[in-house]
Amino acid sequence: MTTHLLKRILILTANPRQTNRLRLDEEVREIDDALRRARHRDQLELVQRWAVTPREMQRAILEVSPQIVHFSGHGVGDQGLALEDETG
């Protein structure tokens, strides 16, 4: 008998106020739709966290324990990802 383990996918999004507006809601919806049509969709769980700060990103990864992390947002070159702060 084969046991299938649940694969948890964590989507983290951030679109800080001083950055160009991204269509993050549409991107996440497309990912969700694709996963719902996947052959092994019963083995996948999609967890979303929006407008993440560095602390929220770390907390989400620790709480969710995902096998896959997908970040949608802006990068700032060698400085890394552009995340939210308490004021957006």
Side-chain angles (χ1 to χ4, degrees):
M1 177 165 139
T2 305
T3 303
H4 298 286
L5 298 176
L6 184 68
K7 298 252 190 260
R8 195 168 294 121
I9 303 165
L10 175 61
I11 293 184
L12 303 166
T13 69
N15 197 171
R17 288 184 188 168
Q18 293 85 6
T19 60
N20 294 334
R21 183 186 176 283
L22 299 173
R23 299 171 76 174
L24 300 176
D25 51 343
E26 291 181 22
E27 180 179 347
V28 173
R29 185 185 68 234
E30 289 176 12
I31 293 169
D32 188 43
D33 288 346
L35 292 175
R36 288 177 194 270
R37 292 188 309 271
R39 177 184 289 173
H40 301 290
R41 63 186 164 269
D42 58 328
Q43 298 171 23
L44 303 169
E45 177 186 9
L46 187 62
V47 179
Q48 304 172 29
R49 297 290 192 272
W50 293 80
V52 294
T53 64
R55 175 175 280 150
E56 290 167 344
M57 177 183 274
Q58 182 180 34
R59 186 177 298 139
I61 291 170
L62 292 172
E63 288 175 358
V64 175
S65 297
Q67 284 72 38
I68 300 167
V69 175
H70 177 85
F71 176 78
S72 294
H74 291 281
V76 286
D78 293 339
Q79 296 175 11
L81 303 175
L83 300 175
E84 304 276 338
D85 64 13
E86 291 73 29
T87 63

